[in-house]
Amino acid sequence: EKGGYEHFMLKEIFEQPKSIHDTMRGRLLVDEGVIKMAGIWDHLERFKNANRIIIIACGTSWHAGLIGEYLIEEYARIPVEVEYASEFRYRNPIITDKDVVIAISQSGETADTMAALKLAKEKGAFIYGICNVVDSSIARITDAGSYTHAGPEIGVASTKAFTAQLTILTLIAFKLGKHNGNLGNAEFMSLIAELDAIPKRVEEVLSSTHEQIQQIAKDFISTTNFLYLGRGYNYPAALEGALKLKEISYIHAEGYPAAEMKHGPIALIDENMPIVIIAPKKGHYDKIVSNVQEIKARKGKIIAVVNKGDRQVSEMADYVIEIPETSECFSPIVASVPLQLLAYYIAVYRGANVDQPRNLAKSVTVE
Ligand code: F6R
């Protein structure tokens, strides 16, 4: 059932070209220039008239939500807030019937997310679900939703569900932007054509980085700390990269927006600190270059995720992982794949049980 892979997690990482494609199938109609999503279409007025969208989730799904904020604000120009479900539910938040709440959950059973949704529903908000498990509790309580079609995710560490969530959020942002006039037709057409090719880009990354990452992972088996940095859309991707490493390898890792480094974490940098930095061409590249210079000056070990043909960051990096160039909004999908592999191989080489990490459960049905 692991399809020849040693662990479900590795199988699921490699399934991503298919799971992303399946999530877009029937929704993204490139030739017709249309995104079909019944859940959005049937409630378009709720979305168009929304004062704001509040995204609630936990863990990896919350990281997808942060990227959703960047997507929806950039392309649909609707204000978005992203909250941990556990904080939202207990802090007496302001919710009105003009709010749209989107819950993101792979399992559809996360207790805090469920409770936060119930609260939002009581206050009259329109509630929308992005779940992977069909007919799960969250899918049932929501007014409408879009399933991620990632297929069953068995590995406790979420991988293919995360990239499927990003796919749905991208579709929602483009669809809303198209309908409310914030995303012009030419840009819409070019973005959807690029989105359609993302499964292929992910396939390329898997094959071009798989062996290299196994080699890189060997150098970090005894490391005790990691920093992950990114800016813009790749700041949440850095958080997610760090979470993957913590969960399965038990190495302490922190994700940060790269510019926040100088407000604290830079104190940690010395020759023993590996820093994974996500530095694609599109999206604050020059700023990232100066962040890398600051790290280099303090002798941090740099593992850089860059676009093919990159020079400036690559020259300073100790390890260079190349990903294909995409528009910035798609880069977290492509950049997450090598980070999943890195976490996986470091954990495997440390002898950890990657599919069933200690203390973690696949669905967190208690708060
Ligand atoms: C991370 C992970 C957890 C879940 C979180 C939310 O790899 O698996 O952080 O993302 O427990 O779970 P769902 O998405 O099922 O609500």
Side-chain angles (χ1 to χ4, degrees):
E1 73 220 59
K2 289 183 201 149
Y5 291 96
E6 202 182 330
H7 296 99
F8 282 108
M9 184 177 172
L10 189 61
K11 170 173 177 265
E12 290 161 3
I13 290 172
F14 273 85
E15 273 170 2
Q16 289 177 108
K18 179 172 186 300
S19 52
I20 295 167
H21 182 263
D22 288 348
T23 299
M24 300 192 298
R25 200 203 335 262
R27 290 173 170 148
L28 180 60
L29 310 176
V30 177
D31 295 340
E32 291 150 59
V34 170
I35 292 172
K36 263 199 192 165
M37 296 177 99
I40 301 286
W41 184 247
D42 294 345
H43 305 279
L44 201 55
E45 291 309 307
R46 286 301 299 243
F47 279 93
K48 275 181 150 173
N49 298 327
N51 278 345
R52 57 177 181 167
I53 292 174
I54 305 168
I55 300 180
I56 50 177
C58 304
T60 290
S61 298
W62 182 78
H63 295 153
L66 291 177
I67 296 168
E69 173 181 13
Y70 285 47
L71 283 161
I72 294 169
E73 291 207 346
E74 175 162 10
Y75 294 107
R77 308 304 294 160
I78 301 169
V80 179
E81 286 168 31
V82 189
E83 288 214 45
Y84 283 119
S86 56
E87 287 298 315
F88 181 83
R89 65 181 285 203
Y90 287 120
R91 73 172 179 80
N92 195 12
I94 298 167
I95 315 164
T96 74
D97 58 6
K98 295 283 262 174
D99 291 325
V100 169
V101 171
I102 299 180
I104 307 176
S105 177
Q106 187 288 129
S107 63
E109 302 297 343
T110 302
D112 279 321
T113 308
M114 186 68 185
L117 272 181
K118 282 187 179 151
L119 175 69
K121 195 172 187 159
E122 269 166 36
K123 306 261 184 189
F126 177 73
I127 62 173
Y128 199 88
I130 299 176
C131 297
N132 194 46
V133 177
V134 174
D135 224 24
S136 51
S137 306
I138 291 172
R140 278 186 276 117
I141 190 199
T142 42
D143 296 311
S146 306
Y147 283 114
T148 46
H149 296 157
E153 190 178 65
I154 312 289
V156 163
S158 187
T159 53
K160 64 175 180 171
F162 174 68
T163 49
Q165 289 163 347
L166 296 184
T167 306
I168 291 287
L169 289 161
T170 306
L171 290 169
I172 291 176
F174 292 173
K175 184 166 180 70
L176 291 176
K178 177 87 191 298
H179 282 288
N180 67 17
N182 283 298
L183 181 54
N185 200 52
E187 192 183 3
F188 176 81
M189 293 304 280
S190 109
L191 285 167
I192 64 172
E194 198 181 343
L195 176 58
D196 192 48
I198 290 297
K200 229 179 279 143
R201 300 285 93 83
V202 170
E203 186 91 63
E204 285 164 32
V205 178
L206 283 165
S207 60
S208 67
T209 63
H210 187 204
E211 287 196 2
Q212 182 203 7
I213 286 175
Q214 295 175 52
Q215 294 310 314
I216 299 175
K218 287 189 180 134
D219 290 349
F220 295 99
I221 299 169
S222 313
T223 302
T224 48
N225 292 288
F226 259 87
L227 267 180
Y228 284 71
L229 304 176
R231 297 180 82 113
Y233 282 88
N234 287 304
Y235 146 54
L239 298 183
E240 174 58 11
L243 179 63
K244 287 290 86 95
L245 188 71
K246 287 187 258 223
E247 285 182 290
I248 60 170
S249 75
Y250 317 135
I251 293 173
H252 172 243
E254 277 194 77
Y256 255 94
E260 276 292 308
M261 202 177 60
K262 58 167 68 67
H263 299 284
I266 198 164
L268 294 166
I269 297 177
D270 63 14
E271 66 280 6
N272 298 314
M273 178 64 93
I275 294 120
V276 176
I277 187 141
I278 310 171
K281 281 251 156 51
K282 292 190 184 134
H284 324 285
Y285 183 77
D286 294 340
K287 303 273 179 201
I288 284 271
V289 169
S290 38
N291 296 140
V292 174
Q293 283 162 346
E294 289 156 7
I295 298 166
K296 189 78 188 161
R298 289 160 184 86
K299 302 196 168 58
K301 285 239 155 19
I302 298 162
I303 304 162
V305 179
V306 297
N307 287 145
K308 290 205 176 80
D310 175 271
R311 298 267 308 275
Q312 266 182 294
V313 168
S314 301
E315 277 167 7
M316 292 184 276
D318 298 272
Y319 303 85
V320 175
I321 298 168
E322 290 186 333
I323 59 173
E325 191 172 329
T326 63
S327 289
E328 190 190 357
C329 65
F330 304 117
S331 59
I333 299 182
V334 183
S336 289
V337 172
L339 302 190
Q340 295 166 346
L341 286 171
L342 184 66
Y344 172 82
Y345 280 105
I346 292 176
V348 166
Y349 296 151
R350 286 164 65 92
N353 182 351
V354 289
D355 281 340
Q356 285 290 329
R358 67 187 183 201
N359 309 337
L360 293 176
K362 187 67 188 160
S363 318
V364 184
T365 53
V366 289
E367 67 171 290

